[in-house]
Amino acid sequence: MKCSYCGYKEDKVIDSRATAEDSAIRRRRQCLKCGRRFTTYEYIEEVSLMIIKKDGTRCPFDRKKILAGIMKACEKRPISLDKMEEVVTQVERAIQKKFDREVSSSRVGELVMEKLKLLDDVAYVRFASVYRQFKDVGQFMEELKDILDKGKHVKHGYTRI
């Protein structure tokens, strides 16, 4: 780090601590030439994740949009806002692990459905019906049949593989 007073390139770190909101690390440094002290801050470089929509356009990833969709699907269900936000966080982490800078909106939707399916069947079907844009009642019934079959297998002590 270059001294802000004399420009010398060597210093020693006297103290390091996280900022109040844990968004950066504050370091107190002392120049090895002039002895003066100065403060530097280190921040995590945020890489913006872009969503590729069905029409090919791109927009920044937005947690609020995903949460709004989940809230709509969970409306009048016994699911806390904390649980819904946890789903959003799980989806966001999965995306950050699997994708570098861009991800298709369809993949995001699939991840949300995977998480909702584990959380609440009704919320899952609501989200899937909007997301997958079922063309007819048959498609909708097929999805319900899968959920009902899963319930029967669980009742009888075994799960479907």
Side-chain angles (χ1 to χ4, degrees):
M1 187 62 58
K2 191 169 145 181
C3 175
S4 55
Y5 300 105
C6 71
Y8 192 65
K9 292 188 179 182
E10 291 188 43
D11 62 63
K12 66 179 177 181
V13 175
I14 298 169
D15 181 44
S16 289
R17 64 180 69 178
T19 59
E21 57 280 338
D22 286 334
S23 61
I25 296 192
R26 176 186 173 274
R27 297 197 194 278
R28 285 295 290 157
R29 298 175 180 270
Q30 184 172 21
C31 176
L32 294 177
K33 183 177 179 186
C34 70
R36 295 185 75 176
R37 294 181 178 189
F38 57 99
T39 302
T40 60
Y41 292 89
E42 292 179 25
Y43 298 93
I44 294 174
E45 186 176 351
E46 297 287 331
V47 177
S48 63
L49 185 63
M50 298 300 284
I51 304 297
I52 306 167
K53 294 183 170 188
K54 290 177 186 173
D55 65 1
T57 59
R58 286 165 168 71
C59 66
F61 175 83
D62 187 355
R63 286 180 57 95
K64 292 177 201 161
K65 286 182 181 179
I66 295 172
L67 182 60
I70 291 171
M71 287 173 76
K72 193 71 175 163
C74 294
E75 199 170 287
K76 297 183 182 177
R77 299 296 301 153
I79 302 166
S80 69
L81 184 57
D82 285 344
K83 283 283 186 196
M84 291 182 236
E85 287 176 341
E86 188 178 312
V87 168
V88 176
T89 299
Q90 290 171 356
V91 168
E92 186 175 21
R93 284 186 185 142
I95 290 168
Q96 288 171 342
K97 279 183 183 176
K98 293 179 184 177
F99 303 94
D100 187 29
R101 300 186 135 229
E102 295 184 330
V103 61
S104 68
S105 60
S106 62
R107 188 63 192 123
V108 174
E110 293 295 327
L111 285 167
V112 170
M113 286 191 295
E114 286 174 23
K115 301 299 180 186
L116 282 177
K117 197 171 199 175
L118 298 171
L119 183 66
D120 185 84
D121 287 340
V122 173
Y124 163 73
V125 171
R126 286 177 178 170
F127 189 89
S129 68
V130 172
Y131 177 74
R132 290 197 176 141
Q133 300 173 340
F134 294 137
K135 303 289 186 252
D136 56 32
V137 175
Q139 280 184 313
F140 189 75
M141 293 305 290
E142 188 100 3
E143 198 67 43
L144 287 176
K145 184 180 177 304
D146 286 346
I147 290 171
L148 292 172
D149 285 347
K150 179 188 79 173
K152 287 179 189 172
H153 291 279
V154 171
K155 268 186 196 172
H156 297 295
Y158 61 94
T159 56
R160 193 171 43 168
I161 297 175

